[in-house]
Amino acid sequence: MLLAGGAGRRMGGPKALVELDGEPLVRRALHVLSAGGCSPITVVVGAAATDVRAVLPSDVDVVEAADWAEGMGASLRAGLSALAAREVPPDAALVHLVDLPGVTSAAVARLAAGATPDALRRASYDGRAAHPVLIGREHWAGVIASATGDAGARGYLAGHPALDLVECADVADPDDVDTPEALARFRAR
């Protein structure tokens, strides 16, 4: 599941539509998820939903978070609720953020390898917890109930006894591109 609903105020526009190497970040993230073994893929949109939908391939599921302005928690709730409502919900949701171009398909695959209904896995980078996050179906209700503002699942994950940190520093970079300056630094690497 790709969260791509924010307005990108610090970026000057929705990060989903920001181009890196001639491709919108939302499409770049979809390639990473697909190459990492995620299928089907759900994209949660919000700000500029019509414009973001226009650059998405037809084979992804799109969920609109009507309350996207509340923050990432609203997108996470909308996406997990949509997955839970499916006739046959998946065992787990791998949650990725659109503004993380340094996350690779290898990191996604490493997390996805543990996709079970009771899984709770989070990428870590030299021991520092970050994204993506794998949330097993048994945890969705708890995450939905606690996801508020821009904290997403942070409160639910903090200190949860089932949480498994999965080291990914050898295959990915967790830095987000929230500003034009951060994007320029990423491009210069």
Side-chain angles (χ1 to χ4, degrees):
M1 179 171 62
L2 180 61
L3 303 185
R9 288 175 191 86
R10 292 183 291 159
M11 181 62 80
K15 291 177 273 185
L17 299 172
V18 169
E19 290 202 359
L20 180 60
D21 299 329
E23 183 173 46
L25 287 177
V26 68
R27 287 189 66 96
R28 182 183 178 103
L30 287 173
H31 296 308
V32 168
L33 288 170
S34 180
C38 295
S39 178
I41 298 174
T42 297
V43 179
V44 182
V45 299
T50 301
D51 295 334
V52 176
R53 283 178 191 266
V55 299
L56 295 175
S58 60
D59 64 338
V60 300
D61 296 325
V62 180
V63 172
E64 189 162 341
D67 53 350
W68 64 266
E70 178 191 313
M72 181 180 19
S75 293
L76 183 58
R77 288 191 313 268
L80 288 177
S81 295
L83 292 179
R86 286 187 177 170
E87 186 174 324
V88 180
D91 286 343
L94 189 134
V95 181
H96 184 35
L97 308 180
V98 76
D99 63 352
L100 300 174
V103 170
T104 64
S105 59
V108 168
R110 194 173 282 176
L111 281 157
T116 61
D118 64 342
L120 197 57
R121 307 180 88 205
R122 186 170 191 178
S124 68
Y125 299 86
D126 296 323
R128 183 176 63 96
H131 288 92
V133 176
L134 181 78
I135 304 170
R137 185 176 60 235
E138 292 175 11
H139 297 280
W140 293 355
V143 171
I144 290 167
S146 67
T148 59
D150 275 328
R154 190 178 309 139
Y156 186 86
L157 298 172
H160 197 290
L163 182 63
D164 179 23
L165 292 179
V166 179
E167 186 58 45
C168 293
D170 60 320
V171 296
D173 176 346
D175 295 337
D176 57 11
V177 291
D178 282 342
T179 64
E181 296 79 19
L183 182 62
R185 284 191 300 274
F186 187 86
R187 283 184 175 130
R189 293 182 190 172

